[in-house]
Amino acid sequence: MWIQSLRGGGFARYLFAHVAAYAQQNNRHYIRLSVDAENTTGQKFYRKIGMKGAVDERIYVLDGDALGNLAAEAELLTQP
Protein backbone atom coordinates (compact mmCIF):
# COMPACT_ATOMS: atom_id res chain seq x y z
CA MET A 1 0.00 0.00 0.00
CA TRP A 2 1.37 3.40 -0.95
CA ILE A 3 -0.42 6.68 -0.35
CA GLN A 4 1.62 9.62 -1.66
CA SER A 5 -0.22 12.26 0.39
CA LEU A 6 0.76 10.52 3.66
CA ARG A 7 4.45 10.04 2.83
CA GLY A 8 6.76 11.47 5.47
CA GLY A 9 4.02 12.27 7.94
CA GLY A 10 4.75 9.45 10.38
CA PHE A 11 1.67 7.40 9.52
CA ALA A 12 3.63 4.29 8.49
CA ARG A 13 5.64 4.33 11.72
CA TYR A 14 2.41 4.81 13.69
CA LEU A 15 0.83 1.90 11.84
CA PHE A 16 3.82 -0.42 12.30
CA ALA A 17 4.11 0.49 15.99
CA HIS A 18 0.49 -0.53 16.50
CA VAL A 19 0.94 -3.73 14.48
CA ALA A 20 4.01 -4.55 16.60
CA ALA A 21 2.08 -3.91 19.81
CA TYR A 22 -0.78 -6.10 18.58
CA ALA A 23 1.69 -8.85 17.64
CA GLN A 24 3.30 -8.85 21.07
CA GLN A 25 -0.04 -8.74 22.88
CA ASN A 26 -1.11 -11.81 20.89
CA ASN A 27 2.10 -13.78 21.44
CA ARG A 28 3.39 -13.28 17.89
CA HIS A 29 7.14 -13.20 17.46
CA TYR A 30 7.68 -11.45 14.14
CA ILE A 31 6.14 -9.37 11.36
CA ARG A 32 6.74 -10.40 7.78
CA LEU A 33 6.13 -8.39 4.63
CA SER A 34 7.29 -8.20 1.06
CA VAL A 35 8.45 -5.15 -0.85
CA ASP A 36 9.20 -4.59 -4.52
CA ALA A 37 12.91 -4.68 -5.27
CA GLU A 38 12.66 -1.22 -6.86
CA ASN A 39 10.99 0.32 -3.79
CA THR A 40 14.16 1.60 -2.19
CA THR A 41 12.28 4.23 -0.18
CA GLY A 42 10.15 1.52 1.43
CA GLN A 43 13.19 -0.65 2.08
CA LYS A 44 14.97 2.26 3.74
CA PHE A 45 11.97 2.84 6.00
CA TYR A 46 11.74 -0.84 6.96
CA ARG A 47 15.43 -0.89 7.88
CA LYS A 48 14.96 2.36 9.84
CA ILE A 49 12.31 0.76 12.07
CA GLY A 50 14.52 -2.28 12.66
CA MET A 51 13.41 -4.76 10.01
CA LYS A 52 15.99 -6.81 8.16
CA GLY A 53 15.94 -8.87 4.99
CA ALA A 54 15.23 -12.56 5.46
CA VAL A 55 18.03 -14.77 4.21
CA ASP A 56 16.13 -18.03 4.62
CA GLU A 57 12.99 -17.25 2.60
CA ARG A 58 12.03 -16.74 -1.03
CA ILE A 59 8.93 -15.00 -2.31
CA TYR A 60 6.87 -16.72 -5.01
CA VAL A 61 4.30 -14.89 -7.10
CA LEU A 62 1.35 -16.37 -8.98
CA ASP A 63 0.05 -13.97 -11.63
CA GLY A 64 -1.01 -13.62 -15.24
CA ASP A 65 -1.86 -16.79 -17.15
CA ALA A 66 -0.64 -19.02 -14.33
CA LEU A 67 -3.06 -17.33 -11.91
CA GLY A 68 -5.92 -17.71 -14.39
CA ASN A 69 -5.09 -21.34 -15.12
CA LEU A 70 -4.96 -22.29 -11.46
CA ALA A 71 -8.16 -20.36 -10.71
CA ALA A 72 -9.89 -22.28 -13.52
CA GLU A 73 -8.95 -25.53 -11.78
CA ALA A 74 -11.04 -24.52 -8.75
CA GLU A 75 -14.27 -25.19 -10.61
CA LEU A 76 -12.99 -28.51 -11.95
CA LEU A 77 -11.82 -29.60 -8.49
CA THR A 78 -15.19 -28.83 -6.86
CA GLN A 79 -17.30 -30.77 -9.35
CA PRO A 80 -18.54 -34.16 -8.11
Side-chain angles (χ1 to χ4, degrees):
M1 177 175 78
W2 178 57
I3 304 171
Q4 179 66 34
S5 64
L6 296 177
R7 180 170 270 178
F11 179 73
R13 188 173 194 90
Y14 171 88
L15 181 64
F16 270 91
H18 281 78
V19 170
Y22 178 86
Q24 285 198 322
Q25 291 165 4
N26 289 278
N27 201 30
R28 304 296 187 238
H29 303 285
Y30 61 90
I31 297 169
R32 177 175 30 189
L33 61 82
S34 66
V35 61
D36 287 336
E38 299 84 25
N39 184 355
T40 55
T41 301
Q43 292 172 44
K44 182 179 176 183
F45 168 74
Y46 301 136
R47 286 191 301 274
K48 185 176 178 180
I49 64 170
M51 297 186 92
K52 56 187 178 262
V55 295
D56 59 343
E57 295 185 21
R58 299 292 180 262
I59 297 173
Y60 290 83
V61 176
L62 183 67
D63 62 1
D65 289 341
L67 176 64
N69 293 339
L70 188 59
E73 286 184 32
E75 186 175 330
L76 296 174
L77 294 171
T78 57
Q79 293 178 1

